Amino acid sequence: MAHYRAADSKREQFRRYLEKAGVLDTLTKVLVNLYEEPEKPNNALDFLKQHLGAAGPETADVEVLRLELTELRLKYEAVVEENKELKAKLAQFESSHEEKHGDSRDAHASH
């Protein structure tokens, strides 16, 4: 029976260690998040890994990167739009230039 108490005592020490380190709270929060997830992920272990990794100090870095990504997407969309406008202006310019001056290839070919 003494062996049983020793193992029980070690188990209790380990539990207190995990509780003191915040491991139990963190695991509980992540498991609650998984429980409350309306559409359960196909891979629960990946969900836990992802949410445990985000629970640390990297969260601020991730938020900064998300904001930067959003900003860069907006800039990209603006550049794509500007590119379309410039291509349209160039095509318009080229067609009006050809109308005014005639097709220079035809003029050179007849000489």
Side-chain angles (χ1 to χ4, degrees), residues 43-96:
N43 191 329
L45 188 55
D46 282 346
F47 180 92
L48 295 176
K49 288 177 183 176
Q50 181 182 5
H51 286 78
L52 282 172
E58 295 176 26
T59 305
D61 292 339
V62 170
E63 189 58 32
V64 166
L65 290 173
R66 280 191 182 129
L67 290 171
E68 185 178 345
L69 178 61
T70 301
E71 185 180 315
L72 290 173
R73 281 182 175 154
L74 291 172
K75 285 181 180 178
Y76 169 77
E77 289 170 12
V79 166
V80 167
E81 190 60 35
E82 182 183 20
N83 188 320
K84 284 181 190 175
E85 291 171 9
L86 291 173
K87 282 182 177 180
K89 285 181 181 177
L90 178 61
Q92 188 178 10
F93 173 78
E94 286 176 339
S95 67
S96 70

Side-chain angles (χ1 to χ4, degrees), residues 3 11 13 17 25 27 29 41 48 61 69 76 82 98:
H3 177 42
R11 191 173 298 137
Q13 285 177 347
Y17 160 75
D25 280 344
L27 283 174
K29 286 175 188 172
L48 295 176
D61 292 339
L69 178 61
Y76 169 77
E82 182 183 20
E98 285 175 4

Side-chain angles (χ1 to χ4, degrees), residues 4-66:
Y4 177 75
R5 278 191 218 144
D8 201 35
S9 172
K10 279 188 171 189
R11 191 173 298 137
E12 183 60 27
Q13 285 177 347
F14 186 66
R15 188 194 65 72
R16 283 195 303 264
Y17 160 75
L18 292 176
E19 191 172 356
K20 192 183 241 182
V23 173
L24 295 180
D25 280 344
T26 301
L27 283 174
T28 302
K29 286 175 188 172
V30 172
L31 289 171
V32 167
N33 286 342
L34 178 59
Y35 175 78
E36 292 176 346
E37 189 70 28
E39 293 186 30
K40 302 293 183 246
N42 291 332
N43 191 329
L45 188 55
D46 282 346
F47 180 92
L48 295 176
K49 288 177 183 176
Q50 181 182 5
H51 286 78
L52 282 172
E58 295 176 26
T59 305
D61 292 339
V62 170
E63 189 58 32
V64 166
L65 290 173
R66 280 191 182 129

